[in-house]
Amino acid sequence: MSTSVEKIKERLGIVDVVSSYVELKKAGATWKARCPFHNERTPSFIVSPDRGTFYCFGCHAKGDIFSFVEQIEGLDFKGALKLLAERAGVTLEREDPKARGEHERLFSILEHAKQYFAENLAKTPAAMEYLERRGVKKDTLREWALGYALPEWRGLYDHLRSLQFADAEIENAGLAKRREDAGSGERYYDAFRERVMFPIFDASGRVVGFSGRTLSKDPTTPKYINSPETPLFNKSELLYGLHKAKAAIRKQNYAILVEGQMDLIMCHQAGYANAVAASGTALTASHLERLKKLSPRILMCYDSDDAGQNAAQKNAMLALKLGLEVKIAVLPQGSDPADLLLSDPEGWKKAVANSRHIVDFQLDRLLKSGADSRMKAVALRTSVLPFIAELQSKIEQSHYVAEAAKRMGIREDAIWEDLRALSRKDGEKRPAASIAPRPQVKAGSMPSLGERIMGLLYWKPEMEDFRKRVIEIGGEERFLAMKERMAEDSERLIFETEEYYENLSRNSEAPDAIRKDADELLASYERKSLQEDIEKKQSDLRAAEAGSADAEAILKDIHALATRLEDAKRAAGQGNP
């Protein structure tokens, strides 16, 4: 893998990779941005193209292009490697399946299951007819690897066993269930039977689970079932279709959020490649945080029935709390995205084009509710103001207060009074943070003399004379202890030092200026080292017996060190007159 890593780094610069996720601005020899890993107003995220690394002074995230992609995409190293290899045009060598770890074995099982289901679909007319009726084209079937689970108890299980996968592995992949009361030959049975199968992919395009849509006419049979939570499949974090939608979301600067797999597939088939779905689970903050890294704007296209609209309101509130902009597409009554895209593509296009901000959407619903003026005024406080209260922009809040006042015929100051009361009430309910925030390190500040010295040595390893003088002044033992103590913070120290010397690095006198500053550091380090040595000797003196030869020798050393310290202070202009 090391060869592949080197090839990828040769072809992809860290500025190119990071700038595809966040907006970078040039700052001397480095680039700055607001950190994508935590909320901040002032940019503290620094990227160094020379070193190919990044560092955040706020949350202390750091690393190279691989660790950046791991963190922002929620991938492991191999997932990030695959994603970047595809972007760089680097072909990865296949690994020996026998050498893979547990996760790689599970990925392999799921890939075989995907192929098995796809082969079944091609020879199952009923399943093909269902998908054709829903408007799914053959190219789309292949693109999304749709399949079919046969109405057999152990069809997939027997197939995977023939490929030498163990019972526990098949169960851990979420593809088989166990019966404790059965004989050894029939203890396991398929988790999916008689269903159209939708593979669920992670952000790098690997199968991590499945969702199955029943073809059974039995009304007691669940319409959809999904893979259980597994080591690879976390429903609360995974968005269906994100592996194909990421680039389009960044390019178009908004994501279309739909409810189910069929809605998602039909969106992509119609050219709306920025669509994703939270299939099989409620939308979570983790889902929204992942989308927010790609774009702060979301368009929710849910079913027009009450359940769909209630879900839209709940999810919109969650998104607003996370600082996203939310719009709602109003679909014709009784339709969902998949059906509308098939029966009335122009109607879908119109719904997307005429989407409404969540506050406008709530106001529209309230005004069309048919309630009398007094009840509408009461409902305004519960159905509209909570959404206005979550808007992060005071200007935007003011706009919607004025809009509500105009459309409802209510005084603005009355709405503001209710809004402030609502905000105070919500604030009282909001629990205190259970985890104390990490201390912030200001970019460009140098917290200690030792950090300044080690930062300069990490940043400018060619300053060999400076390193030798540090050892001569304080001794090798002190130097090695300082180096070991700060080894884990080397990345931070490099970026802090670079930030500290940024102005010096921009002009032709920079080398002389840095040298002058280095000399001042050495002088300060000498005084500090002498003071520490004196304090240590004084401690030794207290431990020695009064009048002993050891005490006399220590006292003599203290006088010698004190004389050197006074000379050093006078040289720096700090001595007594």
Side-chain angles (χ1 to χ4, degrees):
M1 286 296 184
S2 60
T3 303
S4 299
V5 168
E6 291 166 3
K7 287 180 180 178
I8 292 169
K9 285 189 172 183
E10 287 173 1
R11 299 186 187 185
L12 294 179
I14 192 165
V15 172
D16 294 329
V17 173
V18 174
S19 63
S20 65
Y21 294 89
V22 298
E23 182 181 355
L24 290 175
K25 292 185 178 180
K26 195 78 165 67
T30 60
W31 297 74
K32 283 187 176 181
R34 285 199 294 266
C35 181
F37 305 122
H38 79 288
N39 292 325
E40 62 176 7
R41 295 181 179 178
T42 304
S44 63
F45 184 84
I46 312 295
V47 176
S48 171
D50 293 338
R51 291 187 299 278
T53 57
F54 68 90
Y55 183 78
C56 177
F57 290 104
C59 68
H60 311 293
K62 62 183 179 181
D64 59 8
I65 56 173
F66 294 97
S67 48
F68 178 83
V69 170
E70 284 178 51
Q71 292 179 63
I72 203 165
E73 295 283 9
L75 302 172
D76 58 13
F77 174 75
K78 290 189 177 180
L81 183 66
K82 180 181 178 183
L83 189 152
L84 289 172
E86 291 174 354
R87 180 168 174 177
V90 173
T91 302
L92 298 176
E93 296 181 2
R94 290 185 176 274
E95 288 181 292
D96 180 1
K98 295 180 181 179
R100 292 176 181 172
E102 177 187 350
H103 281 199
E104 290 305 309
R105 291 279 294 177
L106 294 181
F107 278 125
S108 181
I109 291 172
L110 291 161
E111 183 65 25
H112 282 292
K114 182 194 78 173
Q115 295 170 4
Y116 174 82
F117 290 139
E119 291 171 2
N120 289 341
L121 177 64
K123 55 189 180 184
T124 307
M128 291 294 292
E129 288 171 8
Y130 166 78
L131 292 169
E132 288 172 6
R133 190 169 65 251
R134 296 300 305 269
V136 182
K137 299 177 181 178
K138 289 185 178 180
D139 287 345
T140 303
L141 293 179
R142 289 190 291 269
E143 182 182 355
W144 292 89
L146 301 191
Y148 182 68
L150 298 171
E152 299 176 355
W153 281 98
R154 280 176 291 279
L156 175 61
Y157 169 77
D158 289 340
H159 174 69
L160 294 174
R161 285 290 294 162
S162 72
L163 296 174
Q164 306 304 312
F165 291 111
D167 290 345
E169 292 176 322
I170 300 171
E171 184 180 10
N172 287 340
L175 297 173
K177 295 182 179 180
R178 177 170 45 181
R179 289 178 54 188
E180 298 296 344
D181 60 342
S184 59
E186 298 182 350
R187 180 168 294 173
Y188 289 90
Y189 62 95
D190 289 350
F192 299 95
R193 298 182 305 282
E194 199 176 359
R195 291 179 179 272
V196 173
M197 300 300 293
F198 299 84
I200 299 174
F201 302 88
D202 66 11
S204 62
R206 294 177 296 183
V207 182
V208 293
F210 291 91
S211 180
R213 204 277 188 194
T214 186
L215 293 184
S216 172
K217 303 298 184 181
D218 185 350
T220 63
T221 301
K223 187 174 181 180
Y224 279 93
I225 61 171
N226 299 287
S227 292
E229 295 279 320
T230 72
L232 303 181
F233 184 41
N234 187 335
K235 296 179 184 178
S236 65
E237 296 182 358
L238 194 140
L239 286 162
Y240 182 63
L242 184 62
H243 67 298
K244 290 185 178 293
K246 290 181 294 185
I249 292 172
R250 285 194 292 266
K251 183 178 180 180
Q252 299 182 42
N253 196 25
Y254 77 99
I256 295 176
L257 189 61
V258 296
E259 290 185 274
Q261 288 91 353
M262 191 59 71
D263 293 331
L264 181 284
I265 287 175
M266 293 300 288
C267 280
H268 279 252
Q269 181 174 281
Y272 294 86
N274 56 330
V276 294
S279 58
T281 184
L283 191 71
T284 67
S286 294
H287 290 140
L288 291 168
E289 288 286 6
R290 179 159 291 189
L291 289 177
K292 187 178 178 182
K293 292 172 182 175
L294 302 173
S295 171
R297 303 167 64 215
I298 292 180
L299 172 59
M300 293 184 176
C301 301
Y302 287 1
D303 294 358
S304 57
D305 58 16
D306 289 341
Q309 295 308 300
N310 290 337
Q313 291 181 66
K314 179 182 177 181
N315 294 337
M317 180 63 76
L318 179 59
L320 288 178
K321 289 178 182 292
L322 295 172
L324 289 100
E325 176 189 324
V326 184
K327 287 188 174 183
I328 305 292
V330 183
L331 305 184
Q333 191 64 34
S335 65
D336 61 31
D339 292 335
L340 188 61
L341 280 161
L342 178 62
S343 63
D344 186 7
E346 287 302 315
W348 164 264
K349 187 181 296 184
K350 183 178 178 181
V352 171
N354 295 333
S355 60
R356 305 280 282 162
H357 188 281
I358 180 61
V359 177
D360 290 318
F361 175 78
Q362 290 296 97
L363 268 173
D364 291 344
R365 290 190 75 192
L366 176 58
L367 290 168
K368 294 176 182 177
S369 65
D372 59 36
S373 297
R374 187 184 69 82
M375 291 306 297
K376 285 180 181 177
V378 172
L380 178 70
R381 194 176 194 278
T382 57
S383 65
V384 178
L385 294 193
F387 293 94
I388 297 178
E390 292 298 339
L391 297 175
Q392 295 190 350
S393 167
K394 295 298 180 185
I395 295 175
E396 197 174 14
Q397 280 189 340
S398 179
H399 165 78
Y400 280 114
V401 167
E403 183 71 10
K406 181 176 71 174
R407 298 183 67 184
M408 297 286 295
I410 300 173
R411 298 193 328 273
E412 282 191 39
D413 58 349
I415 296 178
W416 276 114
E417 186 175 340
D418 269 6
L419 186 62
R420 283 191 287 268
L422 182 66
S423 298
R424 285 195 298 272
K425 185 178 180 182
D426 287 347
E428 290 169 3
K429 292 180 180 179
R430 206 165 282 136
S434 59
I435 301 176
R438 294 185 68 171
Q440 301 282 306
V441 180
K442 184 179 178 182
S445 67
M446 304 307 296
S448 73
L449 176 62
E451 288 184 327
R452 289 190 65 181
I453 290 172
M454 291 309 303
L456 190 55
L457 287 173
Y458 286 132
W459 182 49
K460 296 285 187 181
E462 67 272 18
M463 294 179 66
E464 183 63 22
D465 291 342
F466 179 73
R467 187 185 69 84
K468 288 180 179 178
R469 284 287 295 134
V470 171
I471 294 174
E472 288 174 4
I473 290 170
E476 187 168 9
E477 184 178 346
R478 180 182 275 123
F479 172 75
L480 292 176
M482 182 169 61
K483 184 177 180 180
E484 181 179 359
R485 189 169 64 251
M486 299 178 189
E488 291 186 0
D489 286 333
S490 60
E491 195 73 28
R492 171 178 67 84
L493 294 174
I494 290 172
F495 276 99
E496 286 183 352
T497 304
E498 191 167 44
E499 189 81 358
Y500 183 76
Y501 288 109
E502 182 177 347
N503 292 332
L504 298 177
S505 300
R506 291 177 180 173
N507 59 68
S508 58
E509 297 179 0
D512 293 337
I514 292 174
R515 172 55 63 186
K516 181 179 178 182
D517 194 70
D519 290 340
E520 292 177 0
L521 286 177
L522 291 172
S524 298
Y525 184 59
E526 182 177 17
R527 295 192 297 274
K528 185 173 184 295
S529 298
L530 287 168
Q531 186 63 53
E532 289 177 354
D533 289 342
I534 289 172
E535 291 172 359
K536 184 176 183 303
K537 289 291 183 181
Q538 287 173 338
S539 178
D540 293 342
L541 181 62
R542 287 191 291 271
E545 293 183 8
S548 68
D550 287 342
E552 291 295 329
I554 294 170
L555 189 59
K556 187 176 180 180
D557 289 341
I558 291 174
H559 285 308
L561 290 169
T563 300
R564 287 176 57 193
L565 180 58
E566 287 302 316
D567 291 343
K569 286 183 177 180
R570 276 194 293 271
Q574 298 179 8
N576 295 326

